[in-house]
Amino acid sequence: MNCRRFQRLLFEYVDGELSQREEASVAKHLAGCPECQKLLDSEKSAGLRVSKALHERAAKVELSTGFQERLLKALNDGQEAGPRTFESFFAFVRRFAWPAAIGAVAVMIAVLLLVRGHAPSDTPRGMALRPGDETGPGTVPVQAALVSTVYTFRLDGNQVVDRLEYRTNVVDGAVLLTRN
Amino acid sequence: MDEQKLAAALRNQEPEAAQELVRAYGDRLLRSAFLLCGSETDAEDLVQETFLQAIRSAHRFRSHSTLYTWLHAILLNLSRRYHRERKRLVYDDAITEREMVEPGDLGLETDLQAGSSSLEKALRHLSAAHREVLVLRFYEELKIGEIAARLGLSKGTVKSRLHYALAEMQKHLPKEMNLFGTSGTKNIETR
């Protein structure tokens, strides 16, 4: 048993939770180490004073009159008492965030597959046209839709007013097909 | 009503069970809640929510712990959520120009400021995590192993937080309330 080891076991020693062997080892160390004995005394003393102060302050606190009535009313109403504005806000986000994200990814994958499916099978190569390029024979019209989720919220007094929207942006274009 | 009968009454959803639960544990729970959050008003809200959750989930209560231990576990979870949500409020757009509030200052409003003792002022400097272990150790009088189990932490973490909490309290207390006598905390290993 050295000082470092004793410091690690200090709380357990105070709690009487050490094995007989460990306790004997600590007692022997303390008998020969005034610094550790002083540390032990300090910790015990500090603990007692903090404990006393906490108990004294807490003793002044009591349930307000009407607490039981409010509790029973809340039970009967089936509502949770107390502040839940932000609890419900974050619960809402948790509830919709993942489905919204998965939905957006699924739509994007579907769009990509749709665009690829329009190309004729014997002429796989295509070149996207830029706005202003001429279209005509050999071009394939393409429409891409990108769905984005927009979640907005604001505080209105004690309430959170929130809204989840799906916005679709549609882009029309064309792909020029070429033969090698 | 003894504890076993009360637990049975709660499971059977007997009407007087809720009242008896409040009568038996209300004040005790409130005092712990107050020390955890620093506000009498918020503490009462936490206790009310604790009882509501307890009564609604009474069927889940197993007699291997006491009713108070079970209630206090619910309270601790609610207290942690309370502190998390209060921390998020600090980052609201409307107050981004204010300097960031130290975690230890959150939740300790006028209840502790008005006529508060030196010890309470020192408590304000502790984060929720450090205040938690301090209250469990020195108010609820739990052992290290019990605190570790209650909070889902290792014993080492609990001890480390306790050392830190006591050192912080020492820093912010006036000299005449020196907790540690002459040796202070210089020999304490912190992690």
Side-chain angles (χ1 to χ4, degrees):
Chain A
M1 176 70 57
N2 55 27
C3 295
R4 191 182 172 92
R5 175 119 178 98
F6 165 70
Q7 287 168 25
R8 285 191 180 145
L9 295 176
L10 189 151
F11 282 115
E12 283 88 341
Y13 180 69
V14 169
D15 289 345
E17 292 215 295
L18 296 179
S19 66
Q20 261 187 337
R21 190 177 161 184
E22 278 174 324
E23 192 150 329
S25 189
V26 166
K28 188 177 171 187
H29 176 76
L30 288 173
C33 184
E35 281 294 314
C36 283
Q37 182 64 59
K38 212 183 288 184
L39 175 66
L40 175 65
D41 292 340
S42 291
E43 289 282 342
K44 278 181 168 178
S45 168
L48 282 172
R49 286 190 223 177
V50 169
S51 178
K52 182 170 179 278
L54 289 175
H55 279 88
E56 279 177 0
R57 180 58 187 94
K60 297 175 189 171
V61 175
E62 278 178 358
L63 288 174
S64 60
T65 49
F67 177 87
Q68 262 205 40
E69 286 72 25
R70 287 194 298 278
L71 174 65
L72 292 174
K73 184 177 185 304
L75 271 173
N76 290 334
D77 291 349
Q79 288 171 2
E80 290 177 355
R84 61 188 297 251
T85 301
F86 288 93
E87 176 199 356
S88 60
F89 162 60
F90 288 112
F92 181 85
V93 171
R94 278 195 297 273
R95 198 160 65 241
F96 283 101
W98 276 114
I102 291 169
V105 168
V107 169
M108 284 196 295
I109 290 172
V111 164
L112 285 170
L113 289 173
L114 184 68
V115 168
R116 287 186 66 181
H118 270 163
S121 57
D122 61 342
T123 53
R125 294 183 185 277
M127 184 174 73
L129 297 181
R130 287 168 290 185
D133 288 345
E134 289 182 12
T135 61
T139 62
V140 175
V142 167
Q143 187 178 75
L146 180 65
V147 178
S148 57
T149 51
V150 178
Y151 181 79
T152 54
F153 66 93
R154 60 181 171 84
L155 275 179
D156 183 8
N158 202 28
Q159 299 292 321
V160 172
V161 179
D162 55 49
R163 191 170 160 183
L164 182 67
E165 290 177 63
Y166 292 95
R167 292 186 188 163
T168 306
N169 298 310
V170 177
V171 175
D172 289 310
V175 174
L176 176 66
L177 301 176
T178 59
R179 282 183 192 280
N180 287 330
Chain B
M1 198 186 284
D2 75 15
E3 180 150 317
Q4 279 187 345
K5 285 184 184 165
L6 179 52
L10 281 168
R11 276 193 284 267
N12 297 334
Q13 298 185 328
E14 291 172 25
E16 67 279 4
Q19 292 171 28
E20 181 59 26
L21 195 69
V22 172
R23 192 198 63 76
Y25 302 112
D27 280 332
R28 188 176 167 192
L29 216 55
L30 179 71
R31 284 161 192 156
S32 202
F34 168 70
L35 292 173
L36 286 169
C37 77
S39 158
E40 286 191 42
T41 315
D42 290 348
E44 201 163 282
D45 284 339
L46 285 174
V47 168
Q48 189 151 358
E49 185 62 31
T50 299
F51 281 128
L52 283 171
Q53 286 198 16
I55 290 162
R56 287 177 183 147
S57 63
H59 57 280
R60 281 192 234 148
F61 173 67
R62 298 286 172 261
S63 300
H64 55 251
S65 75
T66 64
L67 269 174
Y68 182 74
T69 301
W70 177 61
L71 288 167
H72 200 268
I74 298 172
L75 173 66
L76 274 176
N77 280 335
L78 290 171
S79 166
R80 283 172 158 185
R81 191 172 66 184
Y82 163 86
H83 284 291
R84 272 200 307 270
E85 289 174 358
R86 287 190 70 84
K87 227 189 269 190
R88 285 195 184 109
L89 280 176
V90 174
Y91 300 103
D92 183 274
D93 282 344
I95 54 171
T96 48
E97 289 178 10
R98 280 170 35 185
E99 63 177 9
M100 196 164 86
V101 176
E102 285 298 312
D105 290 340
L106 291 173
L108 300 179
E109 303 146 353
T110 51
D111 295 81
L112 281 184
Q113 285 169 358
S116 59
S117 67
S118 304
L119 188 69
E120 292 167 41
K121 286 175 187 166
L123 271 176
R124 291 185 64 203
H125 291 275
L126 294 180
S127 69
H130 291 103
R131 196 181 315 136
E132 216 171 47
V133 293
L134 197 85
V135 170
L136 287 176
R137 175 75 177 171
F138 297 114
Y139 182 72
E140 297 293 335
E141 293 171 358
L142 298 183
K143 297 181 181 177
I144 296 297
E146 290 169 328
I147 298 172
R150 193 77 70 90
L151 299 179
L153 301 171
S154 69
K155 283 188 189 179
T157 302
V158 170
K159 287 190 274 189
S160 161
R161 287 185 187 178
L162 268 176
H163 279 311
Y164 178 87
L166 285 173
E168 278 301 294
M169 298 279 282
Q170 166 74 356
K171 224 192 288 178
H172 297 288
L173 285 171
K175 289 200 188 322
E176 59 269 20
M177 278 195 71
N178 190 337
L179 293 177
F180 299 104
T182 53
S183 73
T185 59
K186 66 174 189 279
N187 289 327
I188 291 175
E189 177 192 345
T190 55
R191 273 178 269 175

